[in-house]
Amino acid sequence: MSQNPPDLRPDLARARVTESARPGQPTIGMVSLGCPKALVDSERILTRLRAEGYGISSDYGGADAVIVNTCGFLDSAKAESLEAIGEALNENGRVIVTGCLGAEPEYITGAHSKVLAVTGPHQYEQVLDAVHAAVPPDPDPFIDLLPASGVSLTPRHFSYLKISEGCNHACKFCVIPDMRGKLSSRPHKAVMREAEKLVEAGVKELLVISQDTSAYGTDWKDRETKFPLLDLARDLGDLGAWVRMHYVYPYPYVRELIPLMADGKVLPYLDIPFQHAHPDTLRRMARPAAASRTLDEIAAWRAICPDITLRSTFIVGYPGETEDEFQTLLDWMDEAQLDRVGCFQYENVAGARANALPDHVPEEVKAERWARFMEKAQAISEAKLAAKLGQIMDVIVDDVDEDGVATCRTKADAPEIDGNLFIDEGAAHLTPGQIVTVEVDESGEYDLWGRLV
C-alpha cells in the first residue's frame, strides 16, 4: 500500500472535462495525473487537438484513444500512473502515455507493452504525432471552432498560469530537473497575453505556477530588471482577477512582493516549499539551510501584510533524520505558525541522489512522525481559523449543491489543497465564480462556515 496515497498528497491537480463531441468526430480521452503544472500541459495538448478537429471524451467508452499524462514525483505517484495506464488499456485499449514518467519509457513499456507511444514531459509535438498515427484527424471547418481561451480542465472561474518550465535546483530527493530540464521562463508578454485572454473569458482567479516561481526570468541574459517576477506580479495584479502565487522560494527579494499583497494587487498568500527546518536535514537535502533566517523573513512579511497566508509542504523521515532533527521541525512549526501545511513521508525515487544516503528511516518511524507532524499542523490550523470568527471577508464560490449549500474559498485557500468556507443558508441563488461577502460564524480544523452579508 502506498505510504503517500493520493488523498494525502499535496501535489495533485484534478481534471474536469465537460465537452461533448459532435457525431462522427474523432475523440480523445485524457487522464491527467500529478501537479497543476502537468494539468497545464494537458490543457495545451487538448487545445491543440481541438484546433485540429478532435473532440474530447470524458469517459473511456467514448474515446478513440486515451492520453495518460503521468506523474513521476514519487514512487507512489509512479505506481498510480502505471495503475492509470493499466485501467485505460483495460477500458479502452488504445493508450498514449506522456508526462514526467514518460522520461522513463522502458519503465512504462516493461509494465504495459501494449501502449501505442510514450513521450516525455511537455513534448507536445510528439504527443500530437502519436495521436495522428492512432486516430487520424477529420476536422469540420464549419463546426470545429476553438474558443479563444483554449481548452480548460479546471472550472471556468479559475485557471493555472504556468510561467516557466524546469528548475535549476539540485535537491537530492527530487528528479524533476532531470525530467523537465533547467529553468526556462516564458516571455513576459506571452504570459500576460494568456492571462488577459483568461480574464476576458471569465476567469476570476489566476494561480501562478512553475517549479520555482521566484526564479522567473532570471534565466534571461539580457533582462532589464534583476527579478522579473516583481514586474510580472504587478502587471497581473492590474487585470482585476485574484492572483495567487504558488511554489515561491523564500529568496530575500520576495519581501518586495509583499507590499503588492498589502495593497490588494496580489492575494496575500504565499505557497513556499520549506521541506524541513533542521539545518543538517536541509544540507542533506541540498537545500538552503537557513531556517532561522526564514523565521526572520516570515516576521518581516507579516509586518508588511498582517493578513498574509503562508502554506508549505514538508518531508518527514528523510534519510538520516534523527528524533532531535524532527523535534526541531516541530519546534520551528510552533514558531512559524504556518496557516496551511502539507506533508510527505519520504520515499525513494528512482534516480534521486537521496537514495544513496545512509541511515534510512524505518517505515513505522516515518508514519509515526508524519502523524505527530500533522497533529501539530492541525492544531495550528484550528486555532488560526477560530481567530477568524466574526470576520467579514470576500469568498469565491466554487460550487452550489442540490441542497443549496455553497462551497467557497477565502483568499487564504487555493483550490484542491486548502480548506473551504461553506454557506449553509440562503446560497441557492449563487453561481460558481461569484465573489460574495460573508461573515464567518463557525470554524473547524481546516474549514470555515459563514453567512452572506
Side-chain angles (χ1 to χ4, degrees), residues 13 19 43 61 82 135 148 166 183 201 207 222 225 238 250 282 285 288-289 316 318 331 368 382 418 427:
E19 285 198 18
E43 291 177 338
L82 289 182
V135 185
L183 175 69
L207 300 116
D222 57 347
T225 58
D238 289 336
L282 290 167
M285 290 178 170
V316 296
Y318 190 77
D331 294 342
E368 186 266 344
E382 188 171 12
D418 293 330

Side-chain angles (χ1 to χ4, degrees), residues 167-174 177 285-286 353:
C167 180
N168 288 343
H169 294 283
C171 305
K172 288 187 177 180
F173 56 82
C174 183
M285 290 178 170
R353 293 178 295 153

Side-chain angles (χ1 to χ4, degrees), residues 1-5 8 76 345-348 363 366 370:
M1 178 178 174
S2 166
Q3 63 187 29
N4 284 307
L8 296 181
S76 56
Q345 296 175 50
Y346 171 80
E347 293 182 17
N348 281 338
E363 297 300 324
K366 292 181 195 176
W370 181 88

Side-chain angles (χ1 to χ4, degrees), residues 90-425:
N90 289 334
E91 297 292 332
N92 182 279
R94 296 166 61 78
V95 177
I96 296 162
V97 179
T98 190
C100 285
L101 193 57
E104 304 176 53
E106 296 83 6
Y107 183 84
I108 294 170
T109 56
H112 299 296
S113 60
K114 295 183 179 179
V115 296
L116 299 178
V118 178
T119 71
H122 54 89
Q123 292 183 346
Y124 309 124
E125 300 302 331
Q126 291 90 326
V127 175
L128 294 174
D129 289 344
V131 171
H132 296 159
V135 185
D138 185 21
D140 185 330
F142 298 103
I143 297 177
D144 298 327
L145 300 177
L146 184 67
S149 58
V151 175
S152 175
L153 295 177
T154 56
R156 293 180 60 185
H157 61 282
F158 70 80
S159 182
Y160 294 104
L161 181 67
K162 184 158 65 171
I163 62 174
S164 66
E165 265 298 353
C167 180
N168 288 343
H169 294 283
C171 305
K172 288 187 177 180
F173 56 82
C174 183
V175 294
I176 295 298
D178 297 329
M179 294 176 174
R180 291 185 171 260
K182 293 291 187 180
L183 175 69
S184 177
S185 302
R186 297 178 61 199
H188 180 108
K189 289 183 179 179
V191 175
M192 288 304 302
R193 186 162 56 247
E194 180 181 353
E196 289 164 0
K197 287 183 178 180
L198 289 168
V199 174
E200 289 171 2
V203 168
K204 302 294 181 62
E205 180 178 8
L206 298 168
L207 300 116
V208 178
I209 58 171
S210 65
Q211 288 298 139
D212 180 359
T213 296
S214 306
Y216 171 76
T218 58
D219 54 319
W220 301 335
K221 294 182 179 179
D222 57 347
R223 63 182 184 274
E224 297 179 359
T225 58
K226 190 171 183 181
F227 301 114
L229 178 64
L230 300 177
D231 289 336
L232 180 65
R234 195 173 292 113
D235 288 349
L236 289 172
D238 289 336
L239 297 181
W242 284 11
V243 177
R244 191 181 300 277
M245 293 287 178
H246 286 282
Y247 315 126
V248 178
Y249 279 72
Y251 304 144
Y253 79 86
V254 168
R255 195 182 299 189
E256 298 179 46
L257 278 174
I258 311 304
L260 296 178
M261 299 179 181
D263 293 341
K265 285 282 189 179
V266 176
L267 289 185
Y269 179 102
L270 281 180
D271 177 7
I272 304 175
F274 289 123
Q275 307 298 8
H276 211 277
H278 195 283
D280 292 343
T281 313
L282 290 167
R283 275 192 287 269
R284 291 195 303 275
M285 290 178 170
R287 292 181 65 81
S292 60
R293 290 204 298 273
T294 298
L295 288 173
D296 293 339
E297 280 302 306
I298 289 173
W301 299 339
R302 286 173 169 157
I304 299 169
C305 182
D307 293 335
I308 193 170
T309 295
L310 301 178
R311 124 166 289 280
S312 190
T313 52
F314 295 85
I315 298 173
V316 296
Y318 190 77
E321 183 189 61
T322 65
E323 178 60 27
D324 285 345
E325 290 176 358
F326 176 68
Q327 185 60 49
T328 296
L329 173 58
L330 294 183
D331 294 342
W332 187 89
M333 285 284 290
D334 279 329
E335 291 192 68
Q337 291 288 299
L338 301 182
D339 303 87
R340 302 282 188 257
V341 173
C343 185
F344 293 105
Q345 296 175 50
Y346 171 80
E347 293 182 17
N348 281 338
V349 176
R353 293 178 295 153
N355 301 355
L357 291 174
D359 303 321
H360 280 242
V361 178
E363 297 300 324
E364 61 272 15
V365 176
K366 292 181 195 176
E368 186 266 344
R369 289 178 182 170
W370 181 88
R372 288 162 59 195
F373 179 93
M374 292 309 298
E375 182 179 7
K376 171 79 67 178
Q378 179 178 303
I380 293 171
S381 173
E382 188 171 12
K384 280 184 165 282
L385 292 182
K388 296 180 184 291
L389 290 172
Q391 289 188 15
I392 307 296
M393 60 181 64
D394 290 338
V395 300
I396 190 166
V397 180
D398 279 340
D399 182 62
V400 181
D401 67 19
E402 58 187 13
D403 296 322
V405 176
T407 300
C408 312
R409 286 179 295 107
T410 73
K411 293 179 179 179
D413 300 301
E416 307 289 3
I417 57 175
D418 293 330
N420 294 297
L421 182 142
F422 300 99
I423 306 174
D424 294 334
E425 298 180 357

Side-chain angles (χ1 to χ4, degrees), residues 12-18 29-36 38-40 42-43 46 56-58 67 69 151-155 158 160 416:
L12 297 178
R14 294 165 177 83
R16 299 167 176 83
V17 178
T18 57
M30 172 68 83
V31 178
S32 189
L33 304 174
C35 65
L39 189 69
V40 172
S42 296
E43 291 177 338
L46 292 180
I56 303 169
S57 176
S58 59
I67 300 170
N69 192 355
V151 175
S152 175
L153 295 177
T154 56
F158 70 80
Y160 294 104
E416 307 289 3

